[in-house]
Amino acid sequence: MNHKMIYLDNAATTAVRPEVLDAMLPWFSAHYGNPSSIHAAGREAKIAVETARKQVAAAIGALPQEIYFTGCGSESDNWAIRGLADVAKGRHIITSAIEHHAVLHTCEYLEKKGYEVTYLPVDEYGFVSPQAVKDAIRGDTILITVMTANNEIGTVEPIAEIGAIAKEAGIPFHTDAVQAVGAIPVDVNAMNVDMLSMSAHKLGGPKGVGALYVRKGLRISPFIFGGAQEHNRRAGTENLASIVGMGKAIEIAAAELEEHGKRLTKLRDKLIGGVLKTIPDVRLNGHPTQRLPNNFNMCFRYIEGESLLMRLDLAGVEGSSGSACTSGSLDPSHVLLAIGLPHEIAHGSLRLTLGLDTTQEDIDYVLSKLPGIVQVLRDMSPLYHMDKAKENA
């Protein structure tokens, strides 16, 4: 293969940035103290954790004491929802039909425990209606949880409006911002959120570390019992090097947000426009403009998404058909079904998510290869030939 692999699956994970790796390395070897120890090595480690906490807080407009380090974004989602349900008086939760499974499966778990969950529908673009949120509120509603931006179709939700409704009703509001932090401006006060989940490996940091923002004064139960780490709410020796890496990664992402966002939006629009121009029978999923700067998601009629991915992989392009967490599943994406796509079209989806290293040349290369691959696969489809024969009759 004479062409380098083009990685366009940044929504699944990103490469650790070189500056982040440099910041992490000393904490694996030379500086390995336990942040809970009171000797010099321990104090040094403690300062490193608290510095990272400040960096994460600054990136989202929070206070350092409102940031809790976790193992990943999914853990942050689980903790926010279960931790609040543990202490709240009431049995009703409001969420959306297009949430990440870390939210949906946690809600399903609580349903088995006797909670009632309202799964709000979305429109054709994947928007959750603030009015629908308002209408779903009951006297026993304890939590509203709606993601900031969808991991599959990239639609950015009207979080500030939903947050204002929750605030007015006095109901805690959680948002899964795993795809949004580091990609678009995120400010917990402007968004009216009480809890926010994030993950380091989506923004140039390491895997195995995330964070949960919990607004000061909001009660949630501890996630792990044991030691006094994370303000007595999540016991266990801190993942020191990774926490340092998350702090560094989020600081860089916040500093470069605007410039990075503009560059990716241009490349994304070139990719979307190029496909719409050269390939018939395609559908853009998600909102055309109110979407993450790096997200391309389209359905190709008469094609099975997995075949498209394999052919792209052979041509040197790495993408996905949906979220990385469900890539082993044969069912079509719950997100695509929720925006109203029939099964057979939802099965033909392709998600390409751009990143720091994505260039104009990469987009040109994809646009040079994709039409041919799509045509080869369509030529193998009896349904395609039947429909074309009808059109020409």
Side-chain angles (χ1 to χ4, degrees):
M1 190 176 65
N2 56 7
H3 195 275
K4 72 174 175 88
M5 288 305 278
I6 295 173
Y7 180 78
L8 293 176
D9 199 15
N10 287 278
T13 195
T14 59
V16 174
R17 297 177 67 133
E19 314 94 303
V20 171
L21 185 60
D22 289 345
M24 290 171 69
L25 286 173
W27 301 97
F28 285 113
S29 50
H31 308 288
Y32 55 84
N34 185 322
S36 297
S37 301
I38 59 170
H39 47 59
R43 293 197 303 273
E44 182 184 47
K46 180 79 172 163
I47 289 167
V49 170
E50 295 315 315
T51 300
R53 203 183 303 284
K54 284 178 189 146
Q55 288 167 316
V56 173
I60 62 166
L63 301 167
Q65 63 266 36
E66 296 175 316
I67 302 298
Y68 297 83
F69 288 111
T70 65
C72 57
S74 291
E75 183 191 312
S76 301
D77 285 339
N78 272 257
W79 185 10
I81 298 164
R82 289 166 62 182
L84 192 104
D86 275 350
V87 300
K89 291 177 173 50
R91 313 293 284 175
H92 179 235
I93 293 167
I94 298 168
T95 189
S96 87
I98 62 162
E99 296 298 310
H100 189 277
H101 283 119
V103 168
L104 294 178
H105 290 168
T106 306
C107 287
E108 285 161 22
Y109 164 81
L110 287 175
E111 282 181 295
K112 292 191 185 108
K113 300 276 179 199
Y115 289 82
E116 281 182 63
V117 182
T118 298
Y119 298 93
L120 296 172
V122 292
D123 70 8
E124 64 187 300
Y125 295 124
F127 278 126
V128 177
S129 147
Q131 188 58 46
V133 174
K134 193 171 189 169
D135 294 344
I137 292 172
R138 311 191 321 207
D140 62 341
T141 305
I142 55 167
L143 175 68
I144 297 167
T145 174
V146 175
M147 68 197 334
T148 305
N150 186 268
N151 50 305
E152 289 188 38
I153 59 174
T155 298
V156 178
E157 300 295 342
I159 292 300
E161 290 168 69
I162 295 170
I165 288 163
K167 198 172 179 178
E168 196 185 328
I171 297 163
F173 178 39
H174 165 254
T175 188
D176 171 347
V178 166
Q179 292 290 340
V181 173
I184 57 174
V186 170
D187 181 299
V188 292
N189 299 306
M191 290 159 70
N192 300 303
V193 297
D194 301 295
M195 292 187 284
L196 180 143
S197 304
M198 52 200 134
S199 177
H201 77 101
K202 306 290 190 183
L203 47 90
K207 295 169 187 66
V209 63
L212 176 65
Y213 155 79
V214 182
R215 190 177 289 285
K216 207 168 142 219
L218 182 69
R219 280 182 62 229
I220 64 168
S221 66
F223 192 70
I224 300 174
F225 296 96
Q229 292 91 348
E230 297 308 298
H231 322 310
N232 291 304
R233 281 176 167 177
R234 187 186 185 273
T237 301
E238 296 87 345
N239 182 0
L240 180 56
S242 294
I243 286 171
V244 168
M246 180 170 190
K248 184 72 176 168
I250 205 166
E251 185 178 67
I252 298 169
E256 293 179 358
L257 195 66
E258 198 177 338
E259 172 200 344
H260 185 49
K262 277 184 190 153
R263 190 182 79 84
L264 288 183
T265 301
K266 248 166 104 167
L267 291 175
R268 173 203 77 193
D269 290 348
K270 179 178 180 172
L271 181 58
I272 291 171
V275 170
L276 291 173
K277 216 184 318 207
T278 55
I279 307 175
D281 296 315
V282 295
R283 180 192 194 278
L284 176 66
N285 301 316
H287 195 276
T289 56
Q290 281 169 271
R291 67 191 295 133
L292 292 169
N294 73 333
N295 177 288
F296 164 101
N297 188 312
M298 281 196 183
C299 283
F300 296 78
R301 282 193 71 185
Y302 312 109
I303 284 185
E304 210 269 310
E306 295 295 316
S307 318
L308 184 55
L309 278 184
M310 287 180 206
R311 298 243 170 188
L312 277 171
D313 194 39
L314 289 171
V317 179
E318 296 170 321
S320 85
S321 59
S323 104
C325 310
T326 54
S327 55
S329 154
L330 291 174
D331 293 328
S333 144
H334 69 287
V335 176
L336 298 182
L337 296 180
I339 61 173
L341 296 189
H343 271 66
E344 65 277 13
I345 291 181
H347 264 305
S349 73
L350 172 68
R351 180 186 74 175
L352 300 175
T353 42
L354 291 52
L356 275 177
D357 297 335
T358 310
T359 63
Q360 292 268 11
E361 292 72 35
D362 292 341
I363 302 301
D364 289 336
Y365 181 78
V366 173
L367 290 172
S368 73
K369 293 289 177 190
L370 196 55
I373 292 172
V374 169
Q375 199 50 55
V376 166
L377 291 170
R378 282 180 175 165
D379 286 342
M380 294 153 91
S381 158
L383 190 64
Y384 174 71
H385 292 293
M386 272 163 49
D387 282 4
K388 288 300 152 203
K390 271 185 222 157
E391 275 173 32
N392 298 329

